[in-house]
Amino acid sequence: MSSTSNSFDLPASDAGTDSKKAREFKVIALIAVAHFVSHVHIMLLPPLFGEVREAFGVSYVEIGFALTAFNAASALLQTPAGFLVDRVGPRAMLTGGLILGGLAVAAAALLPGYWFFVIAYAFLGLANTVYHPADYSILSATIDHKRIGKAFSIHTFAGYLGSGVTPALALACAAMWGWRGAFLFVAGLSIATAFLLIVAGSILPRIVHKPGQEAAKGSGQKVGLDLLLSAPILRNLLFFFCLAMANGGIQTFTVVGMAQIHGTPFSVASVALSGFLLCSAGGVLLGGIIADRTPHHERVAAVGFACTSTMAILMAWVNMPGAVLIALMSVGGLLNGIIQPSRDMMVRAVTPPGSFGKVFGFVSTGFNLGGMIAPLLYGWLMDHGEPRAIFMIVTGFIFLALVTAMTRRKPESIA
């Protein structure tokens, strides 16, 4: 009896495609977990402002200074971290960042005194420098360009999900173990994620190869600092700064701000903030589908910005019932999330191959610059009884981000 091939065998091309997709899925999953943890780090302190402030006997501005130290360290060192990602490899940098982040959060909980807390947050900011350069470098190098928008959206979704669940997670842990116990729980989560990357991270590239870089040099295409200081990259830096200033006001001061303006209970404002963050996460997934289907990313951003600014104005001037506030912030969060993959695609469109680490590291510094200024500015306004001004400034930065996106010169797409 002659042998026949199994009718269920896939053609070689189909098998290769399925294998590639399976590898891409694993890469995205690992990067998403790491990005989730990074946003837990970022959002850990705001829900616990009251407890931490009382523990150290300091003002809102002084607690905000810990966030400023975090963002100052990230702003100063994120671009060098991007160069290191391109040079020594994103996998090792990402794993090291998770370990350092876990140790920094543990130090913030265990070391005595306010200034040790600030120093620990500065080291947490150092750990934060690796995520965007490493994540975007890995995704850009391993994911097919036809699916890169969705990959970016899942990456950003994981970050927003981390931000969205952290207020409830932090308050639940603090209710059982105090704020220090909440910090130690998050430190353990960070170390466990680093261990996951060590065990399963062989799927990630050690070094991102740089095809075309020599050709880019020979053709006169900008590289290194010349690339980072070019007008398209600086425009994206400003864009990220505006987003940080806007989101910093909404994410960090909605709960205490709404309490002072309208007497909104902390519990209601916290649910509304979680609705904003969680719906932002859902909006990111929808935004990823949109980003893969349109080259007009600035138009997507314009619609989202118009709706988010309307939300901020209503929060400042209209005393809404709790259910209405929650619904408003949830819808605003959904539209805010839709913007995010288009944001990343706008950066990718002006980035040459082999430079994703340094470019995403550099433009992400805009987040850190905003993070340095926003807590001090908004904390000062809170201490001086001007919470409504926070939402007005947020609206101003949303409009500036809109102008930055709409007036950019449309670049040529890259594969």
Side-chain angles (χ1 to χ4, degrees):
M1 182 174 180
S2 62
S3 62
T4 60
S5 61
N6 191 324
S7 62
F8 293 100
D9 286 345
L10 290 171
S13 59
D14 291 344
T17 300
D18 287 346
S19 176
K20 182 178 180 181
K21 288 183 177 179
R23 180 176 185 271
E24 289 181 355
F25 174 81
K26 293 176 184 178
V27 168
I28 293 171
L30 287 175
I31 296 304
V33 171
H35 198 218
F36 174 92
V37 173
S38 76
H39 277 249
V40 173
H41 291 166
I42 292 169
M43 282 299 295
L44 177 59
L45 179 56
L48 303 175
F49 261 6
E51 288 189 49
V52 177
R53 188 170 71 94
E54 289 177 9
F56 293 121
V58 295
S59 68
Y60 279 113
V61 169
E62 288 172 301
I63 287 297
F65 185 68
L67 295 177
T68 298
F70 171 97
N71 285 286
S74 289
L76 289 172
L77 298 172
Q78 189 156 245
T79 299
F83 277 89
L84 282 175
V85 164
D86 286 339
R87 181 176 294 273
V88 305
R91 192 207 312 182
M93 293 287 290
L94 187 58
T95 305
L98 285 163
I99 294 172
L100 179 59
L103 294 176
V105 173
L110 297 176
L111 295 178
Y114 166 73
W115 285 108
F116 280 113
F117 186 85
V118 172
I119 292 169
Y121 254 77
F123 276 98
L124 186 60
L126 173 60
N128 185 65
T129 63
V130 308
Y131 294 108
H132 276 189
D135 292 355
Y136 285 115
S137 180
I138 290 170
L139 293 176
S140 293
T142 58
I143 307 302
D144 189 283
H145 70 92
K146 296 178 182 178
R147 295 184 289 274
I148 193 66
K150 295 184 183 69
F152 283 166
S153 73
I154 294 170
H155 168 264
T156 307
F157 167 81
Y160 271 82
L161 184 62
S163 296
V165 304
T166 300
L169 175 66
L171 291 173
C173 290
M176 292 185 291
W177 308 308
W179 73 266
R180 297 181 192 275
F183 271 58
L184 290 175
F185 178 87
V186 170
L189 178 64
S190 184
I191 298 298
T193 305
F195 182 74
L196 174 65
L197 286 188
I198 292 171
V199 172
S202 60
I203 196 73
L204 305 179
R206 289 182 179 273
I207 299 290
V208 172
H209 298 292
K210 306 176 182 182
Q213 190 174 44
E214 293 302 319
K217 290 180 180 178
S219 67
Q221 199 174 71
K222 292 180 178 179
V223 295
L225 289 177
D226 287 341
L227 171 64
L228 299 185
L229 298 179
S230 64
I233 303 302
L234 291 176
R235 179 180 289 270
N236 279 293
L237 175 68
L238 174 61
F239 183 67
F240 276 46
F241 172 77
C242 293
L243 292 179
M245 291 297 296
N247 288 331
I250 294 171
Q251 293 181 14
T252 309
F253 289 93
T254 285
V255 175
V256 292
M258 295 299 289
Q260 282 199 20
I261 296 171
H262 303 301
T264 306
F266 280 3
S267 58
V268 172
S270 294
V271 172
L273 177 59
S274 289
F276 176 86
L277 295 170
L278 290 171
C279 287
S280 291
V284 163
L285 295 179
L286 178 58
I289 297 172
I290 295 171
D292 276 340
R293 295 185 178 183
T294 178
H296 303 294
H297 305 297
E298 68 283 350
R299 298 179 186 176
V300 176
V303 174
F305 285 141
C307 295
T308 307
S309 62
T310 301
M311 178 197 75
I313 292 170
L314 291 174
M315 290 170 65
W317 295 103
V318 179
N319 186 6
M320 293 169 280
V324 176
L325 176 64
I326 292 168
L328 174 71
M329 291 196 68
S330 297
V331 172
L334 178 70
L335 294 166
N336 181 68
I338 288 173
I339 298 168
Q340 309 309 317
S342 291
R343 172 203 75 188
D344 297 335
M345 293 294 281
M346 285 190 285
V347 178
R348 187 176 186 269
V350 296
T351 303
S355 296
F356 294 112
K358 64 177 70 72
V359 169
F360 275 102
F362 181 70
V363 299
S364 296
T365 301
F367 284 144
N368 305 124
L369 294 173
M372 290 168 59
I373 298 170
L376 297 180
L377 173 61
Y378 299 145
W380 184 85
L381 290 170
M382 285 295 302
D383 286 336
H384 287 77
E386 297 290 344
R388 187 173 277 114
I390 294 174
F391 295 99
M392 295 299 96
I393 293 172
V394 164
T395 302
F397 276 107
I398 291 173
F399 276 114
L400 181 56
L402 172 60
V403 171
T404 303
M406 291 300 295
T407 58
R408 76 187 184 105
R409 186 179 67 181
K410 185 177 177 181
E412 294 182 3
S413 299
I414 63 171

